[in-house]
Structures are given as structure tokens and as C-alpha cells.
Amino acid sequence: MTLPAFHPVVLEWLHQRFGRATPIQEAGWPVVASGRHVLLAAPTGSGKTLAAFLWALSELLSSEPLPDETRVLYVSPLRALSHDVQRNLQEPLREIGELAGARGVRLPGVRVAVRTGDTLPSERERMKRRPPHILVTTPESLYILLTAQASRRLLRTVRTVIVDELHAVAQDKRGAHLSLSLERLEALAGRPIQRIGLSATARPLEELAGLLVGAARVLPDGRPDCVVVDAGWQREWDLSVWVPQQVLGPVATHEVWSEVYDRIAELAQQHRTTLVFVSTRRLAERLAHRLSLRLGEDRVAPHHGSLARGLRHDTERRLKAGEVAVVVATASLELGIDIGTVDLVCHVGAPRAVATLLQRVGRSGHGLDRVPKGVLFPLTRDELVQCAAAVRAVRAGVLDRVRI
């Protein structure tokens, strides 16, 4: 494998930490290092984030001196994913720093910060006084940053923008809104900015690439001026549909719900950590309460966008540390979050799309050497048909078509 010219300490850390690159990293790093716009597509747990970030980290660590300016902007569709990425960047930076110290190599300190609706005013002021080299944010917060005069100064120096889980915003107003913000960002910088997109489950990729780079960046043949590195999305999946003893009807009965609570509690006791996805915040609270009556209050936690910042972050920390048996979540934990301890995902109700099912079940078995495991819990006859169709589509290798 021929890797680009990473900093020697970064390269040594990579070999010590992972041994070898994953397919998406091996194919993606040379393109990222070339400076071209690129869309990296690969299954969940395949190392896409490191494929996008490592070259930028190496460039920052190779800078002497490293100026106090923001060079890399990471845009995530979820606040939880933003904080997860910050944590996953801090650990490699710490390990690389320790390795450099052991080798007697002096490296500059790379700062990473998160700017979302959860960011405290004191932290926002600190960023303005001393800009982070890597800024992690959401599409909505990026829009605000591009509007306020003080934060516009922060973004003038950005050279690389990484858009994670691009497919998650492609089909609605958030995608159009983000596309506009990326154009405003480049206009503010006054020079081209490399755009790196990440996606796990989407087709056709060329349309996503077009959304990433914008309508003005096309090749003579009309295709987007963007390299698509496709490592595929198919992998081994352990998927099943649970059917209650009660006959399913047009609506969910109390008897069906009682069976659902009991079965999820039973499965949770057979696994280390279980993540349960539901459709609404109200249902997340209700299901978490019912499961806590069966498993113990300290073993179950809800997670959704209406929870206070501290409660959400504490639940995410406990989930990653394996300190909680069950977390009941809405889409707030759906995308890309690296939760190494989850070994089972329960999906209550029918998934909206095949990609949604894969994203959610992919929170378990997060790694190429593990098998994601998911159980679907239909509550009505219609949902039973939808769940069966979704599982059949996954096994047949069929994905939903993205419509920009």
C-alpha cells in the first residue's frame, strides 16, 4: 500500500494503533492528500472519519509554526455526533503527542473545539480569542457563524471542510441550506476550499457528490468535479423481526406494548449494552420508564433533542463507557456515533427507509470485524409488512434512491 507523505510520527502511530489501513482509507487518503474534492462512501465502522481527517491532522502537526487560526471545519448533522467526533479527535492527538514525546520530536499543539447550540457562552468567547485549528459544528450553527461578524473572522482561514453523513441532509431543506452555507464559506475565504464528504448508505453517489461541490463545479461532461471513492455498503448483518403472541391489528394495543416491553427487557439482559430506537421523544421517555421498572432505574436512560445538555452528554458518556444497559433514543443517536460497547439495536416500529435501518443497526458491532445485530419490533400489521420488506431489501442489497 502506498500512503501519502504523512508526518513520520503520524505514520508510526497509524501502524501501531491499527496495523493497516481499511479499504476506504487506503483508497481515500491519496485523493484527500491531492487536494481534490472527494466523496468517501463505505459501511459504518469502516474508518471513514479517520480517512477524512488524518491527512489534515498530519498537515497541522507538520506546520512550523502553527498559526492561531481555524484550518479545518467539520460539519455534522447531529449535535451528539459533533461531540463524539471531538472526543475521537482528542484521543489520537493525545496518543500522537505521547509518541512524539517518546521519540524526542516536538509537535505543535492542535486545538479542537465544538460550536453547536449546546456550546456555552464562555466557550464561544474563548474560541474568538484563541481560534481552534479544527472546528466541529452543525449545519445550523455554521449558518449562524457565517452571519455574525466576529465568527466570520474565525472562518476566513478555513482550508478544508468535511461534511459527515451527507446523505442524512441530502433529501430535505437542511441539504439545500448547507449547500448555500458552503458557498458562502468559500466566498468569505476568497479562495477554493477542499470539500470532503462522508456517507455510509446512499445511492446514487454522483448526485450526493453534486450536492457536496455545488452546481458551479462540474467537469466538461457534466459530472460533478468530485472524486467518488466507493468502498461499498454491504456487509454481514444479523437482522430479525420479532412478532408478538398477540395478533397485530391496525393499531398497537396495550397487550402488544406489554409484550414489547418484556421482550426488550429480556434481550437487554442477554447483551451488554442495548440501544433502542423509537420515533418520538415522548415515546423515548415512556419506553425508558417502562424498561426501568423491569431492569432498574440506574440501568436505563432516554436520549433525545429536548433533554438538557448535561443529561444528554452524561448519557452519551455512560453509553460509550458501557455503564448503562439500555438507552432509548430518537434519531438523536442515529448517525455515525462510535459506540463500541453496543451489541444489540432494537427498532420499535417500522424504519422510514432502508438506509435508516442500516444506520441505526450499524450503531451495534461498530467495526469491520464485528457483525451489527438488530431486532425490529412491528406494532401493527402495516409495520410488520414494512419491517419484512426492509430486511428483505438489505439481504438483497437494495438501497433507497436519494432524491435531492
Side-chain angles (χ1 to χ4, degrees), residues 66-82:
L66 180 59
D68 279 339
E69 62 184 30
T70 300
R71 294 279 188 89
V72 181
L73 181 69
Y74 174 95
V75 184
S76 154
L78 293 179
R79 285 180 292 182
L81 182 53
S82 298

Side-chain angles (χ1 to χ4, degrees), residues 297-301 313-325 341:
E297 189 171 345
D298 60 335
R299 303 192 66 213
V300 183
H313 289 185
D314 183 61
T315 297
E316 292 161 18
R317 180 195 62 78
R318 292 171 62 202
L319 181 60
K320 288 179 71 71
E323 297 174 358
V324 59
T341 61

Side-chain angles (χ1 to χ4, degrees), residues 44-370:
T44 56
S46 60
K48 291 190 302 299
T49 303
L50 195 62
F53 260 121
L54 194 62
W55 178 251
L57 284 181
S58 180
E59 284 195 311
L60 290 171
L61 293 171
S62 301
S63 299
E64 189 59 47
L66 180 59
D68 279 339
E69 62 184 30
T70 300
R71 294 279 188 89
V72 181
L73 181 69
Y74 174 95
V75 184
S76 154
L78 293 179
R79 285 180 292 182
L81 182 53
S82 298
H83 291 279
D84 186 70
V85 168
Q86 185 198 28
R87 288 189 293 264
N88 290 341
L89 278 173
Q90 298 287 13
E91 184 178 355
L93 285 170
R94 178 184 57 79
E95 293 174 350
I96 291 169
E98 291 174 354
L99 183 60
R103 300 292 181 267
V105 178
R106 183 180 178 85
L107 293 179
V110 175
R111 296 186 299 277
V112 183
V114 173
R115 174 62 164 84
T116 68
D118 286 340
T119 306
L120 298 173
S122 58
E123 296 172 348
R124 299 179 188 183
E125 289 302 317
R126 192 180 307 122
M127 288 181 211
K128 295 175 186 177
R129 293 194 302 270
R130 197 177 186 205
H133 300 106
I134 302 174
L135 180 61
V136 183
T137 189
T138 61
E140 290 72 25
S141 292
L142 173 59
Y143 174 81
I144 295 172
L145 289 169
L146 285 164
T147 303
Q149 191 60 41
S151 54
R152 281 171 61 85
R153 290 195 296 269
L154 194 72
L155 298 176
R156 289 184 197 277
T157 54
V158 169
R159 299 183 180 182
T160 303
V161 58
I162 300 170
V163 182
D164 202 357
E165 305 293 352
L166 181 61
H167 64 277
V169 299
Q171 303 190 83
D172 56 30
K173 294 178 182 178
R174 295 184 80 197
H177 193 255
L178 175 59
S179 184
L180 176 62
S181 292
L182 292 177
E183 295 302 324
R184 293 180 65 203
L185 175 66
E186 192 156 301
L188 175 65
R191 51 179 160 67
I193 295 175
Q194 183 184 22
R195 304 185 189 189
I196 303 172
L198 304 179
S199 180
T201 47
R203 289 294 184 274
L205 291 174
E206 190 171 294
E207 291 195 20
L208 281 179
L211 177 67
L212 175 67
V213 300
R217 297 163 192 84
V218 295
L219 298 171
D221 61 3
R223 291 182 297 111
D225 185 10
C226 178
V227 179
V228 176
V229 179
D230 183 11
W233 62 271
Q234 290 179 283
R235 57 184 300 186
E236 186 179 354
W237 299 87
D238 183 351
L239 289 174
S240 60
V241 179
W242 173 86
V243 181
Q245 294 295 320
Q246 298 290 326
V247 176
L248 291 175
V251 295
T253 64
H254 291 297
E255 291 78 14
V256 169
W257 272 113
S258 182
E259 284 194 53
V260 169
Y261 301 143
D262 291 341
R263 182 55 181 161
I264 293 178
E266 181 182 344
L267 288 171
Q269 290 174 328
Q270 299 170 7
H271 296 81
R272 180 182 177 186
T273 308
T274 300
L275 187 56
V276 182
F277 281 105
V278 295
S279 57
T280 66
R281 297 169 181 178
R282 180 180 178 183
L283 187 52
E285 293 285 352
R286 189 179 89 189
L287 191 54
H289 172 67
R290 296 290 186 178
L291 292 176
S292 67
L293 296 177
R294 290 161 170 79
L295 299 171
E297 189 171 345
D298 60 335
R299 303 192 66 213
V300 183
H303 188 286
H304 54 77
S306 294
L307 281 176
R309 174 181 185 264
L311 288 174
R312 271 188 287 108
H313 289 185
D314 183 61
T315 297
E316 292 161 18
R317 180 195 62 78
R318 292 171 62 202
L319 181 60
K320 288 179 71 71
E323 297 174 358
V324 59
V326 181
V327 171
V328 185
T330 58
S332 59
L333 285 179
E334 178 179 309
L335 298 169
I337 298 174
D338 183 10
I339 312 166
T341 61
V342 171
D343 44 14
L344 175 66
V345 169
C346 295
H347 194 289
V348 179
R352 302 185 306 273
V354 177
T356 300
L357 174 63
L358 295 180
Q359 285 289 339
R360 293 181 173 184
V361 175
R363 298 311 102 218
S364 67
H366 203 69
L368 286 180
D369 58 338
R370 300 175 61 195

